[in-house]
Amino acid sequence: MNKILKNLAQCSLSMVLSVSLFTPVSSAASTQVQGNEVLLNSGWSQKEINDLLSEDEIQKYASGEISDTTTHFVKQTIKVKVDQSSKAMSTLQSAPEPTLTPVEGSEERVLLSEEEFYQEMKEYEKAEGNPQAILKLGKQQNSPTALRAANAEVDYVIPDGYMKYTMQAFKTGSKDYQLNLRFEWLKMPANRGIDVFALGHGPGLVQTGTQDDLVFTGKYNYVTAGQPIKEANITPISKKTDSGGSFVTFRLDQSSLAYSLAAYRGYLSYHTSVSNSTELTTSVEGYYKHKVSKLTVSPSVSYPLSVGLSISSESSYVTESPTPYFSLKL
């Protein structure tokens, strides 16, 4: 009997130790499950969560609820010079293939509805590699009389990439808000340069924490010599938290004969608290700027509360317009 009681006591002690050892892990796992559920309910896909967020980042949303969200579907266009014979220009069917030369600095952003975005992107994918088909998706910029000149150069504005961009605010406490944005080039622009993404807030919120509180995760896919698709991290040129928000800059590298780059995507997030002001609402804005050129000097970006986002060589960057925006009820 004593032996039986001894064995029972040892089993009980083992169970107590097991519970005490594994309870914290279970608690963390539960918090992560809750955060994951909040994100899914706010419009994230499980694939996006697994791809861009760490376990610690997911847990930040565990006690949160979505306050506001907005998604922009953006097409990048660029002007090209088209060089071919007048006959080919008039019919867009004759050989030789037209030569398309991008006009540096002519890129623009066009905001589309979700339906237009996916329909146009599908048409663009079908036309890839075929200059004649690409021109049919574009818009001629000069008068028809120019077509009568032999070997004329004709300006066209054509599609050059498609990007989805979402900005969100989550209430994570009585006076706490987690702001984030995420983006993905679903169709990479052929003409690439430097991207600037920024997220800002009005005086109703105050950013808490330090530079370490700013979280950025960026990734892209690449293929080398026909090998399976691999994944790499985006290395920012710069990132910074300022009084009015946070920003990150990075380069969209060019593909080459040796490797192909695709699917640049990323996530930017930081924590804020309600300020001591009497404001009942405050603005939350996203900014996207893009530079296409052989730029060797990294941009200098600042984000003071009184001015908004400013950038060196501002005129050489194209800004998404209108910018993602919502008025957050505090």
Side-chain angles (χ1 to χ4, degrees), residues 21-130:
L21 286 173
F22 287 99
T23 296
V25 176
S26 299
S27 177
S30 176
T31 302
Q32 186 175 340
V33 169
Q34 293 172 16
N36 194 88
E37 191 68 21
V38 169
L39 290 164
L40 287 174
N41 290 335
S42 76
W44 284 68
S45 69
Q46 191 62 58
K47 180 181 178 181
E48 289 174 321
I49 295 172
N50 296 342
D51 185 39
L52 294 174
L53 303 186
S54 66
E55 293 181 3
D56 288 344
E57 192 65 17
I58 294 172
Q59 291 176 28
K60 291 180 182 178
Y61 297 94
S63 60
E65 59 182 68
I66 186 70
S67 294
D68 216 328
T69 183
T70 183
T71 297
H72 275 201
F73 297 90
V74 183
K75 172 175 67 174
Q76 175 172 298
T77 65
I78 191 166
K79 181 184 289 186
V80 293
K81 293 287 187 181
V82 181
D83 188 5
Q84 62 179 13
S85 70
S86 58
K87 179 180 179 182
M89 279 304 307
S90 61
T91 63
L92 291 182
Q93 296 175 351
S94 305
E97 290 287 350
T99 300
L100 310 184
T101 305
V103 178
E104 186 174 308
S106 66
E107 63 274 23
E108 293 184 359
R109 301 290 171 275
V110 179
L111 189 62
L112 303 175
S113 68
E114 183 173 3
E115 182 178 358
E116 290 171 332
F117 178 84
Y118 285 108
Q119 179 60 37
E120 286 197 19
M121 188 172 68
K122 184 178 179 180
E123 294 173 356
Y124 180 68
E125 288 175 337
K126 289 181 179 179
E128 269 192 301
N130 184 343

Side-chain angles (χ1 to χ4, degrees), residues 157-204:
V157 172
I158 63 171
D160 186 42
Y162 292 83
M163 181 185 68
K164 180 181 176 181
Y165 180 109
T166 298
M167 183 179 69
Q168 295 180 309
F170 291 81
K171 189 171 185 179
T172 56
S174 60
K175 293 187 176 182
D176 298 306
Y177 289 87
Q178 190 75 20
L179 307 181
N180 74 44
L181 67 81
R182 69 187 186 276
F183 67 90
E184 181 178 4
W185 280 102
L186 297 177
K187 199 63 186 173
M188 292 289 290
N191 299 277
R192 309 176 190 179
I194 290 179
D195 271 12
V196 180
F197 282 93
L199 184 62
H201 56 271

Side-chain angles (χ1 to χ4, degrees), residues 280-302:
L280 299 179
T281 61
T282 196
S283 62
V284 177
E285 293 182 286
Y287 291 87
Y288 169 65
K289 294 177 180 287
H290 183 69
K291 168 76 171 180
V292 175
S293 76
K294 299 178 178 65
L295 189 67
T296 57
V297 179
S298 301
S300 172
V301 186
S302 60

